[in-house]
Amino acid sequence: MKSADPKPARAQPIDPSAGVPADLVPMGFVAGAFGIRGWVKVVASTEFSDSLLDYETWWLGRDGQWRAYQVEDSNVQPKQLSVKLAGISDRDIAFAMKGMTVAVPRSQMPAAAEGEYYWADLIGLAVVNRQGERLGVVEQLLETGANDVLVVKDGAVERLVPFVGPVVDTVDLAARQITVDWGLDY
């Protein structure tokens, strides 16, 4: 089992006047201002931080309010980017963007390879074990040194399930269900 990393051949800019896409996928967040000329620090939630730069148009938002920005320039660091967005030329404006979610349309992302899944596609899926017992719903995923881990919640109960072949039997995106070899008492 492997999570896919979006790597399109440079997605084309989206016309922001066309409206907010309904299929936005969070890909990171603005961590703060960078310098005094309107650059922002962005923490990417992609496997490689520079994957986000494959998209010329980013949607930034909070509380359901989204706005499109074009990426003018960037610098890459591990899991963090410093980015110059079109129309942002002042540190105060960049600082006000702190905490905004960075998203791209799912329709702009390439199809995941066989046996690979985007984390965004796994979040919200029901998780059941081989005995048909419901373990909960995938709330998030964690990246560890060894493998990715599903954070599965069922009410107040939280389970950490390794997202690896010996544990994950099937991922059925159409049925919105993951079947695992995992007990209720693990």
Side-chain angles (χ1 to χ4, degrees):
M1 297 284 114
K2 188 174 173 191
S3 54
D5 191 40
K7 276 289 195 195
R10 195 74 176 159
Q12 294 301 310
I14 297 168
D15 178 7
S17 66
V20 178
D23 63 343
L24 290 178
V25 176
M27 301 285 275
F29 64 93
V30 177
F34 181 81
I36 61 171
R37 297 198 169 124
W39 286 58
V40 293
K41 290 185 288 186
V42 173
V43 175
S45 57
T46 56
E47 185 176 2
F48 304 102
S49 59
D50 64 345
S51 295
L52 211 43
L53 298 175
D54 291 331
Y55 304 91
E56 292 181 17
T57 303
W58 292 0
W59 289 84
L60 273 67
R62 69 166 59 105
D63 302 325
Q65 301 297 312
W66 295 96
R67 181 171 172 207
Y69 291 91
Q70 302 296 313
V71 176
E72 288 185 343
D73 200 0
S74 64
N75 291 312
V76 180
Q77 293 124 25
K79 281 295 184 188
Q80 184 170 301
L81 303 167
S82 51
V83 179
K84 174 65 176 91
L85 300 171
I88 308 299
S89 57
D90 176 87
R91 178 178 171 74
D92 292 335
I93 296 170
F95 185 77
M97 299 174 93
K98 182 178 181 179
M100 292 182 116
T101 298
V102 177
V104 298
R106 176 67 172 91
S107 57
Q108 293 279 308
M109 298 164 65
E114 181 69 32
E116 293 189 354
Y117 305 91
Y118 289 118
W119 282 17
D121 294 340
L122 299 175
I123 293 172
L125 296 186
V127 179
V128 297
N129 63 17
R130 290 178 175 173
Q131 292 73 37
E133 300 167 315
R134 178 184 159 85
L135 299 177
V137 174
V138 178
E139 183 176 271
Q140 67 177 342
L141 284 95
L142 303 174
E143 182 180 356
T144 69
N147 54 267
D148 296 335
V149 175
L150 301 170
V151 178
V152 180
K153 286 222 173 171
D154 187 26
V157 178
E158 179 179 277
R159 293 179 177 86
L160 302 178
V161 180
F163 192 66
V164 293
V167 173
V168 178
D169 291 335
T170 60
V171 175
D172 188 339
L173 295 177
R176 305 211 28 84
Q177 180 173 294
I178 299 172
T179 304
V180 296
D181 183 12
W182 204 255
L184 284 175
D185 57 346
Y186 290 7

